Amino acid sequence: ACALARTARAAVRCQATGTCFSAHAANGSYAEARNACGRKRGNLAWVSGEPELRLLLEMLAAEATAPSLFWVGLKRNASACTNTGQPLRGFSWEGVDGGAAPQEVPAALGRWAKEPVRSCLTARCAGLHLAAAA
C-alpha cells in the first residue's frame, strides 16, 4: 500500500507480517494518487488494525513535513450517506484487487480533523492529516 503527499523523499516501512507502506512526493487529487500507487504496483493505504496504523503514522511522522495531507484508501461512495454516529462516518476502505478490505476501525481514526460534509449524493475521499507539533 502507499500513501501519497508532499514528502522530502520516498520512504518504506514494513511489518514482520509482510504489510508494507510507502510514502511518495506528490501533489494531486485522490484519483491521481490512486493511479500513482497503481503504477507502483500498490494501492492507496488502508489499515486492518492498530499495529498497521501505528506503523503508517510513525513512518509519516518521521519522513514528512507537517502539516501534510496523505491520501489513503478511505472513500465514501455517492450511494452511501455520511453517518456521524460511526467512527468512519460512512466511509470504507477500498478493497485490494476488487476484494473487500477489513473494516476494523482503529480508535485513532475516530478523530476527524474536519467532519465530512453530510451528503448521500456525492462521493467523498478521506486522508490522514499530519499536524505540526503544538
Side-chain angles (χ1 to χ4, degrees):
C2 71
L4 273 79
R6 284 189 212 194
T7 61
R9 60 187 183 277
V12 177
R13 298 270 173 98
C14 298
Q15 285 186 307
T17 61
T19 301
C20 293
F21 295 102
S22 60
H24 304 272
N27 188 17
S29 69
Y30 182 90
E32 291 167 334
R34 185 177 53 210
N35 290 338
C37 285
R39 287 191 300 274
K40 296 176 186 336
R41 300 170 126 194
N43 298 288
L44 281 173
W46 50 268
V47 296
S48 62
E50 292 287 341
E52 287 183 1
L53 179 60
R54 276 194 305 277
L55 177 70
L56 178 59
L57 293 176
E58 287 170 7
M59 178 191 66
L60 297 178
E63 302 295 334
T65 303
S68 294
L69 173 69
F70 290 87
W71 290 119
V72 294
L74 198 54
K75 185 175 183 180
R76 194 197 73 225
N77 293 323
S79 61
C81 296
T82 304
N83 185 338
T84 56
Q86 297 177 339
L88 292 181
R89 309 300 197 259
F91 287 73
S92 60
W93 297 111
E94 286 195 295
V96 176
D97 297 330
Q103 296 301 306
E104 179 184 336
V105 181
L109 290 180
R111 296 189 318 253
W112 288 70
K114 179 180 173 188
E115 285 293 328
V117 173
R118 293 186 68 93
S119 170
C120 300
L121 304 174
T122 306
R124 297 283 184 196
C125 306
L128 290 176
H129 177 74
L130 182 63

